[in-house]
Short mmCIF file of all heavy atoms in Angstrom, two decimals:
data_model
loop_
_atom_site.label_atom_id
_atom_site.label_comp_id
_atom_site.label_asym_id
_atom_site.label_seq_id
_atom_site.Cartn_x
_atom_site.Cartn_y
_atom_site.Cartn_z
N LEU A 55 -12.18 -12.96 8.85
CA LEU A 55 -12.75 -14.31 8.88
C LEU A 55 -11.80 -15.13 9.75
O LEU A 55 -10.58 -15.04 9.58
CB LEU A 55 -12.88 -14.89 7.47
CG LEU A 55 -13.91 -14.21 6.57
CD1 LEU A 55 -13.83 -14.77 5.15
CD2 LEU A 55 -15.32 -14.37 7.12
N ARG A 56 -12.36 -15.91 10.66
CA ARG A 56 -11.50 -16.57 11.64
C ARG A 56 -11.34 -18.05 11.33
O ARG A 56 -12.19 -18.67 10.72
CB ARG A 56 -12.12 -16.41 13.03
CG ARG A 56 -12.13 -14.97 13.48
CD ARG A 56 -10.79 -14.53 13.99
NE ARG A 56 -10.53 -15.05 15.30
CZ ARG A 56 -11.10 -14.59 16.41
NH1 ARG A 56 -11.91 -13.58 16.37
NH2 ARG A 56 -10.84 -15.13 17.58
N THR A 57 -10.23 -18.54 11.78
CA THR A 57 -9.90 -19.94 11.53
C THR A 57 -9.57 -20.60 12.87
O THR A 57 -9.63 -19.97 13.90
CB THR A 57 -8.68 -20.03 10.61
OG1 THR A 57 -7.54 -19.58 11.36
CG2 THR A 57 -8.84 -19.14 9.39
N ASN A 58 -9.21 -21.84 12.81
CA ASN A 58 -8.84 -22.54 14.04
C ASN A 58 -7.34 -22.74 14.11
O ASN A 58 -6.85 -23.84 14.17
CB ASN A 58 -9.55 -23.89 14.10
CG ASN A 58 -11.05 -23.71 14.12
OD1 ASN A 58 -11.55 -22.91 14.90
ND2 ASN A 58 -11.74 -24.40 13.24
N GLY A 59 -6.62 -21.62 14.02
CA GLY A 59 -5.17 -21.73 14.16
C GLY A 59 -4.43 -22.06 12.89
O GLY A 59 -3.23 -22.33 12.91
N GLU A 60 -5.14 -22.03 11.76
CA GLU A 60 -4.45 -22.32 10.51
C GLU A 60 -3.67 -21.13 9.99
O GLU A 60 -2.91 -21.24 9.05
CB GLU A 60 -5.42 -22.78 9.42
CG GLU A 60 -6.16 -24.07 9.72
CD GLU A 60 -7.57 -23.82 10.22
OE1 GLU A 60 -7.81 -22.76 10.83
OE2 GLU A 60 -8.42 -24.70 10.00
N VAL A 61 -3.93 -19.93 10.57
CA VAL A 61 -3.20 -18.74 10.12
C VAL A 61 -2.43 -18.16 11.30
O VAL A 61 -2.98 -17.97 12.39
CB VAL A 61 -4.18 -17.66 9.59
CG1 VAL A 61 -3.42 -16.43 9.13
CG2 VAL A 61 -5.03 -18.21 8.46
N LYS A 62 -1.14 -17.90 11.07
CA LYS A 62 -0.33 -17.25 12.10
C LYS A 62 0.32 -16.01 11.51
O LYS A 62 0.74 -16.01 10.35
CB LYS A 62 0.75 -18.19 12.61
CG LYS A 62 0.20 -19.33 13.43
CD LYS A 62 1.31 -20.20 13.99
CE LYS A 62 0.69 -21.38 14.73
NZ LYS A 62 1.70 -22.38 15.08
N ILE A 63 0.41 -14.97 12.32
CA ILE A 63 1.07 -13.73 11.94
C ILE A 63 2.25 -13.56 12.88
O ILE A 63 2.07 -13.58 14.11
CB ILE A 63 0.09 -12.53 12.05
CG1 ILE A 63 -1.13 -12.73 11.14
CG2 ILE A 63 0.79 -11.21 11.76
CD1 ILE A 63 -0.86 -12.80 9.66
N PHE A 64 3.43 -13.41 12.34
CA PHE A 64 4.65 -13.38 13.16
C PHE A 64 4.63 -14.51 14.19
O PHE A 64 5.00 -14.31 15.35
CB PHE A 64 4.80 -12.02 13.87
CG PHE A 64 5.10 -10.87 12.94
CD1 PHE A 64 4.17 -9.85 12.74
CD2 PHE A 64 6.32 -10.78 12.27
CE1 PHE A 64 4.45 -8.79 11.90
CE2 PHE A 64 6.60 -9.71 11.43
CZ PHE A 64 5.66 -8.73 11.24
N GLY A 65 4.18 -15.67 13.77
CA GLY A 65 4.22 -16.85 14.64
C GLY A 65 3.06 -16.96 15.63
O GLY A 65 2.95 -17.95 16.34
N ARG A 66 2.19 -15.94 15.68
CA ARG A 66 1.07 -16.00 16.63
C ARG A 66 -0.22 -16.36 15.93
O ARG A 66 -0.58 -15.71 14.93
CB ARG A 66 0.84 -14.64 17.30
CG ARG A 66 1.99 -14.15 18.13
CD ARG A 66 1.45 -12.98 18.95
NE ARG A 66 2.53 -12.25 19.56
CZ ARG A 66 2.35 -11.30 20.47
NH1 ARG A 66 1.12 -10.97 20.84
NH2 ARG A 66 3.37 -10.68 20.98
N PRO A 67 -0.96 -17.34 16.44
CA PRO A 67 -2.26 -17.66 15.83
C PRO A 67 -3.22 -16.48 16.01
O PRO A 67 -3.13 -15.76 17.01
CB PRO A 67 -2.75 -18.88 16.62
CG PRO A 67 -1.95 -18.90 17.87
CD PRO A 67 -0.66 -18.17 17.62
N ILE A 68 -4.10 -16.28 15.04
CA ILE A 68 -5.10 -15.21 15.18
C ILE A 68 -6.24 -15.77 16.02
O ILE A 68 -7.09 -16.49 15.52
CB ILE A 68 -5.61 -14.73 13.81
CG1 ILE A 68 -4.44 -14.29 12.92
CG2 ILE A 68 -6.61 -13.59 13.98
CD1 ILE A 68 -4.86 -13.81 11.54
N ASP A 69 -6.23 -15.47 17.29
CA ASP A 69 -7.32 -15.91 18.17
C ASP A 69 -7.81 -14.70 18.97
O ASP A 69 -7.33 -13.58 18.75
CB ASP A 69 -6.86 -17.06 19.10
CG ASP A 69 -5.60 -16.68 19.88
OD1 ASP A 69 -5.31 -15.47 19.99
OD2 ASP A 69 -4.91 -17.58 20.37
N ASP A 70 -8.78 -14.90 19.86
CA ASP A 70 -9.35 -13.77 20.60
C ASP A 70 -8.27 -12.95 21.28
O ASP A 70 -8.31 -11.72 21.29
CB ASP A 70 -10.33 -14.28 21.67
CG ASP A 70 -11.62 -14.77 21.04
OD1 ASP A 70 -11.85 -14.41 19.86
OD2 ASP A 70 -12.37 -15.52 21.69
N LYS A 71 -7.29 -13.64 21.82
CA LYS A 71 -6.22 -12.98 22.59
C LYS A 71 -5.35 -12.11 21.68
O LYS A 71 -4.92 -11.03 22.08
CB LYS A 71 -5.38 -14.09 23.26
CG LYS A 71 -4.33 -13.60 24.23
CD LYS A 71 -3.85 -14.75 25.13
CE LYS A 71 -3.21 -15.90 24.37
NZ LYS A 71 -1.88 -15.74 23.87
N ASN A 72 -5.12 -12.57 20.47
CA ASN A 72 -4.18 -11.87 19.58
C ASN A 72 -4.85 -10.98 18.53
O ASN A 72 -4.16 -10.40 17.71
CB ASN A 72 -3.32 -12.90 18.82
CG ASN A 72 -2.33 -13.59 19.73
OD1 ASN A 72 -1.87 -13.00 20.71
ND2 ASN A 72 -2.03 -14.85 19.43
N LEU A 73 -6.19 -10.92 18.57
CA LEU A 73 -6.89 -10.24 17.47
C LEU A 73 -6.50 -8.76 17.36
O LEU A 73 -6.16 -8.27 16.29
CB LEU A 73 -8.40 -10.40 17.62
CG LEU A 73 -9.21 -10.00 16.39
CD1 LEU A 73 -8.81 -10.81 15.16
CD2 LEU A 73 -10.71 -10.17 16.66
N ARG A 74 -6.51 -8.06 18.48
CA ARG A 74 -6.18 -6.64 18.49
C ARG A 74 -4.73 -6.42 18.05
O ARG A 74 -4.43 -5.54 17.26
CB ARG A 74 -6.40 -6.08 19.90
CG ARG A 74 -6.91 -4.68 19.90
CD ARG A 74 -7.07 -4.15 21.31
NE ARG A 74 -6.50 -2.81 21.37
CZ ARG A 74 -7.10 -1.73 20.91
NH1 ARG A 74 -8.29 -1.82 20.36
NH2 ARG A 74 -6.51 -0.56 20.98
N TRP A 75 -3.88 -7.27 18.58
CA TRP A 75 -2.45 -7.23 18.24
C TRP A 75 -2.29 -7.44 16.72
O TRP A 75 -1.54 -6.72 16.07
CB TRP A 75 -1.73 -8.33 19.03
CG TRP A 75 -0.27 -8.44 18.78
CD1 TRP A 75 0.72 -7.79 19.44
CD2 TRP A 75 0.37 -9.27 17.80
NE1 TRP A 75 1.94 -8.15 18.92
CE2 TRP A 75 1.75 -9.05 17.92
CE3 TRP A 75 -0.09 -10.16 16.83
CZ2 TRP A 75 2.68 -9.69 17.11
CZ3 TRP A 75 0.82 -10.81 16.02
CH2 TRP A 75 2.20 -10.57 16.16
N THR A 76 -3.03 -8.41 16.19
CA THR A 76 -2.94 -8.70 14.76
C THR A 76 -3.39 -7.49 13.94
O THR A 76 -2.71 -7.07 13.00
CB THR A 76 -3.85 -9.90 14.39
OG1 THR A 76 -3.49 -11.01 15.19
CG2 THR A 76 -3.73 -10.27 12.92
N ARG A 77 -4.55 -6.92 14.33
CA ARG A 77 -5.11 -5.80 13.55
C ARG A 77 -4.20 -4.57 13.58
O ARG A 77 -4.24 -3.75 12.66
CB ARG A 77 -6.49 -5.43 14.11
CG ARG A 77 -7.52 -6.52 13.97
CD ARG A 77 -8.32 -6.38 12.69
NE ARG A 77 -9.13 -7.56 12.47
CZ ARG A 77 -10.31 -7.78 13.05
NH1 ARG A 77 -10.83 -6.89 13.87
NH2 ARG A 77 -10.98 -8.89 12.80
N SER A 78 -3.37 -4.43 14.64
CA SER A 78 -2.48 -3.28 14.67
C SER A 78 -1.27 -3.49 13.76
O SER A 78 -0.51 -2.57 13.50
CB SER A 78 -2.03 -2.98 16.10
OG SER A 78 -1.19 -4.01 16.56
N ARG A 79 -1.08 -4.71 13.30
CA ARG A 79 0.06 -4.99 12.41
C ARG A 79 -0.32 -5.26 10.97
O ARG A 79 0.47 -5.05 10.06
CB ARG A 79 0.82 -6.21 12.95
CG ARG A 79 1.77 -5.78 14.00
CD ARG A 79 2.21 -6.89 14.93
NE ARG A 79 3.02 -6.27 15.97
CZ ARG A 79 2.52 -5.65 17.03
NH1 ARG A 79 1.23 -5.58 17.21
NH2 ARG A 79 3.32 -5.08 17.91
N VAL A 80 -1.54 -5.77 10.79
CA VAL A 80 -1.97 -6.18 9.46
C VAL A 80 -3.11 -5.27 9.01
O VAL A 80 -4.16 -5.25 9.63
CB VAL A 80 -2.50 -7.64 9.46
CG1 VAL A 80 -2.75 -8.11 8.04
CG2 VAL A 80 -1.54 -8.57 10.19
N ALA A 81 -2.89 -4.52 7.95
CA ALA A 81 -3.94 -3.63 7.45
C ALA A 81 -4.45 -4.16 6.12
O ALA A 81 -3.68 -4.63 5.29
CB ALA A 81 -3.39 -2.22 7.27
N LEU A 82 -5.77 -4.09 5.97
CA LEU A 82 -6.40 -4.62 4.76
C LEU A 82 -7.12 -3.51 4.01
O LEU A 82 -7.93 -2.78 4.60
CB LEU A 82 -7.39 -5.73 5.15
CG LEU A 82 -8.32 -6.26 4.08
CD1 LEU A 82 -7.57 -6.92 2.93
CD2 LEU A 82 -9.30 -7.27 4.69
N VAL A 83 -6.81 -3.37 2.73
CA VAL A 83 -7.61 -2.49 1.86
C VAL A 83 -8.59 -3.39 1.12
O VAL A 83 -8.19 -4.27 0.34
CB VAL A 83 -6.73 -1.73 0.85
CG1 VAL A 83 -7.60 -0.85 -0.04
CG2 VAL A 83 -5.67 -0.90 1.56
N PHE A 84 -9.89 -3.18 1.37
CA PHE A 84 -10.91 -4.01 0.75
C PHE A 84 -10.99 -3.79 -0.75
O PHE A 84 -10.66 -2.71 -1.25
CB PHE A 84 -12.30 -3.69 1.33
CG PHE A 84 -12.47 -4.08 2.76
CD1 PHE A 84 -12.32 -3.15 3.77
CD2 PHE A 84 -12.80 -5.38 3.10
CE1 PHE A 84 -12.50 -3.51 5.10
CE2 PHE A 84 -12.99 -5.75 4.43
CZ PHE A 84 -12.83 -4.82 5.43
N GLN A 85 -11.51 -4.80 -1.44
CA GLN A 85 -11.71 -4.69 -2.88
C GLN A 85 -12.67 -3.53 -3.18
O GLN A 85 -12.44 -2.75 -4.09
CB GLN A 85 -12.27 -6.01 -3.40
CG GLN A 85 -12.50 -6.05 -4.89
CD GLN A 85 -12.65 -7.48 -5.41
OE1 GLN A 85 -12.76 -8.42 -4.64
NE2 GLN A 85 -12.66 -7.61 -6.71
N ASN A 86 -13.73 -3.44 -2.38
CA ASN A 86 -14.74 -2.41 -2.61
C ASN A 86 -14.55 -1.28 -1.59
O ASN A 86 -14.75 -1.50 -0.40
CB ASN A 86 -16.12 -3.05 -2.46
CG ASN A 86 -17.23 -2.05 -2.65
OD1 ASN A 86 -16.99 -0.84 -2.82
ND2 ASN A 86 -18.46 -2.54 -2.63
N PRO A 87 -14.20 -0.06 -2.04
CA PRO A 87 -13.92 1.00 -1.07
C PRO A 87 -15.13 1.35 -0.19
O PRO A 87 -14.96 1.84 0.92
CB PRO A 87 -13.50 2.20 -1.93
CG PRO A 87 -13.88 1.87 -3.33
CD PRO A 87 -13.98 0.37 -3.42
N ASP A 88 -16.35 1.04 -0.67
CA ASP A 88 -17.52 1.32 0.18
C ASP A 88 -17.51 0.48 1.45
O ASP A 88 -18.20 0.80 2.42
CB ASP A 88 -18.82 1.09 -0.60
CG ASP A 88 -19.04 2.19 -1.64
OD1 ASP A 88 -18.62 3.34 -1.38
OD2 ASP A 88 -19.60 1.89 -2.70
N ASP A 89 -16.75 -0.63 1.45
CA ASP A 89 -16.63 -1.43 2.67
C ASP A 89 -15.64 -0.80 3.66
O ASP A 89 -15.56 -1.21 4.81
CB ASP A 89 -16.13 -2.85 2.34
CG ASP A 89 -17.18 -3.65 1.59
OD1 ASP A 89 -18.37 -3.33 1.73
OD2 ASP A 89 -16.80 -4.59 0.86
N GLN A 90 -14.84 0.15 3.17
CA GLN A 90 -13.77 0.73 3.99
C GLN A 90 -14.15 2.08 4.59
O GLN A 90 -13.68 2.46 5.64
CB GLN A 90 -12.52 0.92 3.10
CG GLN A 90 -11.23 1.06 3.88
CD GLN A 90 -10.34 -0.13 3.64
OE1 GLN A 90 -10.41 -0.76 2.60
NE2 GLN A 90 -9.53 -0.47 4.61
N LEU A 91 -14.99 2.80 3.83
CA LEU A 91 -15.26 4.20 4.19
C LEU A 91 -16.63 4.30 4.84
O LEU A 91 -17.63 3.92 4.24
CB LEU A 91 -15.20 5.07 2.92
CG LEU A 91 -13.90 4.91 2.11
CD1 LEU A 91 -13.98 5.69 0.81
CD2 LEU A 91 -12.69 5.35 2.92
N PHE A 92 -16.65 4.75 6.08
CA PHE A 92 -17.93 4.76 6.80
C PHE A 92 -18.13 6.05 7.58
O PHE A 92 -19.10 6.21 8.30
CB PHE A 92 -18.00 3.56 7.76
CG PHE A 92 -16.79 3.43 8.63
CD1 PHE A 92 -16.68 4.14 9.81
CD2 PHE A 92 -15.73 2.60 8.25
CE1 PHE A 92 -15.55 4.04 10.60
CE2 PHE A 92 -14.59 2.50 9.04
CZ PHE A 92 -14.50 3.22 10.22
N SER A 93 -17.17 7.00 7.48
CA SER A 93 -17.24 8.20 8.32
C SER A 93 -17.87 9.35 7.54
O SER A 93 -17.95 9.32 6.32
CB SER A 93 -15.84 8.58 8.77
OG SER A 93 -15.24 7.51 9.44
N PRO A 94 -18.27 10.42 8.28
CA PRO A 94 -18.88 11.55 7.59
C PRO A 94 -17.90 12.34 6.73
O PRO A 94 -18.32 12.97 5.77
CB PRO A 94 -19.43 12.42 8.73
CG PRO A 94 -18.95 11.84 10.00
CD PRO A 94 -18.37 10.49 9.74
N THR A 95 -16.61 12.32 7.07
CA THR A 95 -15.65 13.05 6.23
C THR A 95 -14.44 12.17 5.94
O THR A 95 -14.16 11.19 6.65
CB THR A 95 -15.10 14.32 6.94
OG1 THR A 95 -14.29 13.90 8.05
CG2 THR A 95 -16.21 15.23 7.43
N VAL A 96 -13.72 12.57 4.89
CA VAL A 96 -12.49 11.87 4.51
C VAL A 96 -11.51 11.90 5.68
O VAL A 96 -10.86 10.90 6.00
CB VAL A 96 -11.89 12.54 3.25
CG1 VAL A 96 -10.45 12.10 3.03
CG2 VAL A 96 -12.75 12.21 2.02
N PHE A 97 -11.42 13.07 6.35
CA PHE A 97 -10.51 13.17 7.49
C PHE A 97 -10.80 12.08 8.52
O PHE A 97 -9.91 11.36 8.96
CB PHE A 97 -10.59 14.56 8.16
CG PHE A 97 -9.72 14.64 9.38
CD1 PHE A 97 -8.39 14.99 9.28
CD2 PHE A 97 -10.23 14.30 10.64
CE1 PHE A 97 -7.57 15.01 10.41
CE2 PHE A 97 -9.41 14.33 11.76
CZ PHE A 97 -8.08 14.69 11.64
N ASP A 98 -12.09 11.95 8.89
CA ASP A 98 -12.45 10.98 9.93
C ASP A 98 -12.07 9.56 9.52
O ASP A 98 -11.61 8.77 10.34
CB ASP A 98 -13.96 11.04 10.23
CG ASP A 98 -14.34 12.37 10.87
OD1 ASP A 98 -13.53 12.92 11.62
OD2 ASP A 98 -15.44 12.85 10.58
N ASP A 99 -12.28 9.23 8.25
CA ASP A 99 -11.94 7.89 7.80
C ASP A 99 -10.43 7.63 7.89
O ASP A 99 -10.00 6.59 8.36
CB ASP A 99 -12.42 7.67 6.35
CG ASP A 99 -13.79 7.01 6.31
OD1 ASP A 99 -14.09 6.22 7.23
OD2 ASP A 99 -14.55 7.29 5.37
N VAL A 100 -9.64 8.60 7.44
CA VAL A 100 -8.19 8.38 7.40
C VAL A 100 -7.59 8.49 8.81
O VAL A 100 -6.58 7.87 9.13
CB VAL A 100 -7.51 9.36 6.41
CG1 VAL A 100 -6.02 9.10 6.31
CG2 VAL A 100 -8.16 9.24 5.03
N ALA A 101 -8.27 9.25 9.68
CA ALA A 101 -7.78 9.43 11.06
C ALA A 101 -8.18 8.26 11.96
O ALA A 101 -7.60 8.09 13.04
CB ALA A 101 -8.34 10.73 11.65
N PHE A 102 -9.14 7.46 11.52
CA PHE A 102 -9.71 6.42 12.38
C PHE A 102 -8.64 5.48 12.95
O PHE A 102 -8.56 5.24 14.16
CB PHE A 102 -10.77 5.63 11.60
CG PHE A 102 -11.47 4.60 12.42
CD1 PHE A 102 -12.52 4.97 13.26
CD2 PHE A 102 -11.08 3.27 12.39
CE1 PHE A 102 -13.18 4.01 14.03
CE2 PHE A 102 -11.73 2.31 13.16
CZ PHE A 102 -12.77 2.69 13.98
N GLY A 103 -7.78 4.96 12.08
CA GLY A 103 -6.74 4.02 12.51
C GLY A 103 -5.77 4.66 13.49
O GLY A 103 -5.59 4.16 14.62
N PRO A 104 -5.14 5.79 13.10
CA PRO A 104 -4.19 6.43 14.01
C PRO A 104 -4.82 6.83 15.35
O PRO A 104 -4.19 6.71 16.40
CB PRO A 104 -3.74 7.68 13.25
CG PRO A 104 -4.01 7.39 11.82
CD PRO A 104 -5.15 6.41 11.78
N LEU A 105 -6.10 7.26 15.34
CA LEU A 105 -6.76 7.62 16.61
C LEU A 105 -6.88 6.38 17.50
O LEU A 105 -6.58 6.42 18.69
CB LEU A 105 -8.17 8.18 16.35
CG LEU A 105 -8.23 9.66 15.98
CD1 LEU A 105 -9.65 10.04 15.57
CD2 LEU A 105 -7.75 10.54 17.14
N ASN A 106 -7.28 5.26 16.87
CA ASN A 106 -7.39 4.01 17.63
C ASN A 106 -6.06 3.54 18.18
O ASN A 106 -6.00 2.83 19.17
CB ASN A 106 -7.93 2.90 16.72
CG ASN A 106 -9.40 2.73 16.91
OD1 ASN A 106 -9.94 3.14 17.93
ND2 ASN A 106 -10.05 2.17 15.91
N MET A 107 -5.00 3.91 17.46
CA MET A 107 -3.67 3.48 17.91
C MET A 107 -3.14 4.40 19.01
O MET A 107 -2.04 4.17 19.54
CB MET A 107 -2.72 3.42 16.72
CG MET A 107 -3.09 2.29 15.75
SD MET A 107 -2.19 2.40 14.19
CE MET A 107 -0.70 1.53 14.61
N GLY A 108 -3.91 5.44 19.32
CA GLY A 108 -3.55 6.28 20.47
C GLY A 108 -2.58 7.41 20.18
O GLY A 108 -1.98 7.95 21.10
N TYR A 109 -2.42 7.77 18.91
CA TYR A 109 -1.52 8.88 18.61
C TYR A 109 -2.11 10.21 19.07
O TYR A 109 -3.34 10.36 19.16
CB TYR A 109 -1.24 8.95 17.10
CG TYR A 109 -0.39 7.81 16.60
CD1 TYR A 109 -0.92 6.82 15.77
CD2 TYR A 109 0.95 7.71 16.96
CE1 TYR A 109 -0.15 5.76 15.32
CE2 TYR A 109 1.73 6.65 16.51
CZ TYR A 109 1.17 5.69 15.70
OH TYR A 109 1.94 4.65 15.26
N SER A 110 -1.24 11.20 19.30
CA SER A 110 -1.70 12.53 19.70
C SER A 110 -2.45 13.18 18.54
O SER A 110 -2.28 12.78 17.38
CB SER A 110 -0.51 13.40 20.08
OG SER A 110 0.24 13.69 18.91
N GLU A 111 -3.24 14.22 18.87
CA GLU A 111 -4.02 14.92 17.85
C GLU A 111 -3.12 15.46 16.74
O GLU A 111 -3.41 15.33 15.55
CB GLU A 111 -4.77 16.07 18.53
CG GLU A 111 -5.99 16.52 17.78
CD GLU A 111 -6.74 17.60 18.54
OE1 GLU A 111 -6.92 17.44 19.77
OE2 GLU A 111 -7.12 18.58 17.89
N GLU A 112 -2.01 16.03 17.16
CA GLU A 112 -1.03 16.59 16.23
C GLU A 112 -0.48 15.52 15.27
O GLU A 112 -0.43 15.69 14.06
CB GLU A 112 0.10 17.18 17.09
CG GLU A 112 1.37 17.56 16.37
CD GLU A 112 1.33 19.01 15.96
OE1 GLU A 112 0.70 19.80 16.69
OE2 GLU A 112 1.92 19.32 14.91
N GLU A 113 -0.13 14.37 15.85
CA GLU A 113 0.42 13.26 15.07
C GLU A 113 -0.65 12.73 14.10
O GLU A 113 -0.37 12.40 12.95
CB GLU A 113 0.90 12.17 16.03
CG GLU A 113 1.28 10.84 15.38
CD GLU A 113 2.70 10.79 14.85
OE1 GLU A 113 3.52 11.62 15.29
OE2 GLU A 113 2.97 9.94 13.97
N VAL A 114 -1.91 12.66 14.59
CA VAL A 114 -3.00 12.17 13.74
C VAL A 114 -3.16 13.10 12.52
O VAL A 114 -3.24 12.64 11.37
CB VAL A 114 -4.32 12.05 14.54
CG1 VAL A 114 -5.49 11.76 13.61
CG2 VAL A 114 -4.22 10.98 15.61
N TRP A 115 -3.18 14.42 12.76
CA TRP A 115 -3.31 15.38 11.66
C TRP A 115 -2.19 15.18 10.64
O TRP A 115 -2.43 15.16 9.43
CB TRP A 115 -3.23 16.82 12.20
CG TRP A 115 -4.57 17.36 12.56
CD1 TRP A 115 -5.12 17.42 13.79
CD2 TRP A 115 -5.55 17.89 11.65
NE1 TRP A 115 -6.38 17.95 13.74
CE2 TRP A 115 -6.68 18.25 12.43
CE3 TRP A 115 -5.60 18.07 10.27
CZ2 TRP A 115 -7.82 18.80 11.88
CZ3 TRP A 115 -6.75 18.62 9.71
CH2 TRP A 115 -7.84 18.98 10.52
N GLN A 116 -0.98 15.02 11.16
CA GLN A 116 0.18 14.86 10.29
C GLN A 116 0.05 13.60 9.45
O GLN A 116 0.31 13.59 8.25
CB GLN A 116 1.45 14.82 11.16
CG GLN A 116 2.73 15.08 10.39
CD GLN A 116 2.62 16.34 9.52
OE1 GLN A 116 2.26 17.41 10.00
NE2 GLN A 116 2.91 16.20 8.22
N ARG A 117 -0.39 12.50 10.10
CA ARG A 117 -0.51 11.22 9.40
C ARG A 117 -1.59 11.30 8.31
O ARG A 117 -1.44 10.75 7.22
CB ARG A 117 -0.84 10.10 10.39
CG ARG A 117 0.40 9.64 11.13
CD ARG A 117 0.10 8.60 12.19
NE ARG A 117 1.36 8.09 12.70
CZ ARG A 117 1.93 6.95 12.30
NH1 ARG A 117 1.35 6.17 11.43
NH2 ARG A 117 3.10 6.59 12.80
N VAL A 118 -2.70 11.97 8.63
CA VAL A 118 -3.79 12.09 7.65
C VAL A 118 -3.29 12.89 6.44
O VAL A 118 -3.49 12.50 5.28
CB VAL A 118 -5.03 12.77 8.28
CG1 VAL A 118 -6.07 13.09 7.22
CG2 VAL A 118 -5.62 11.88 9.37
#
Side-chain angles (χ1 to χ4, degrees):
L55 292 173
R56 294 281 284 285
T57 70
N58 298 311
E60 297 101 332
V61 180
K62 290 183 183 170
I63 300 297
F64 291 112
R66 297 193 193 190
I68 305 180
D69 54 19
D70 287 343
K71 187 164 61 76
N72 290 328
L73 193 58
R74 216 182 134 77
W75 179 90
T76 304
R77 296 267 170 82
S78 68
R79 276 159 185 81
V80 188
L82 170 62
V83 179
F84 292 98
Q85 181 163 9
N86 179 356
D88 288 328
D89 291 336
Q90 199 112 28
L91 307 174
F92 50 85
S93 303
T95 68
V96 165
F97 176 87
D98 293 327
D99 265 328
V100 183
F102 184 81
L105 278 173
N106 263 339
M107 292 168 86
Y109 290 111
S110 69
E111 203 176 315
E112 168 93 31
E113 170 84 20
V114 171
W115 270 99
Q116 198 49 52
R117 281 176 172 261
V118 171

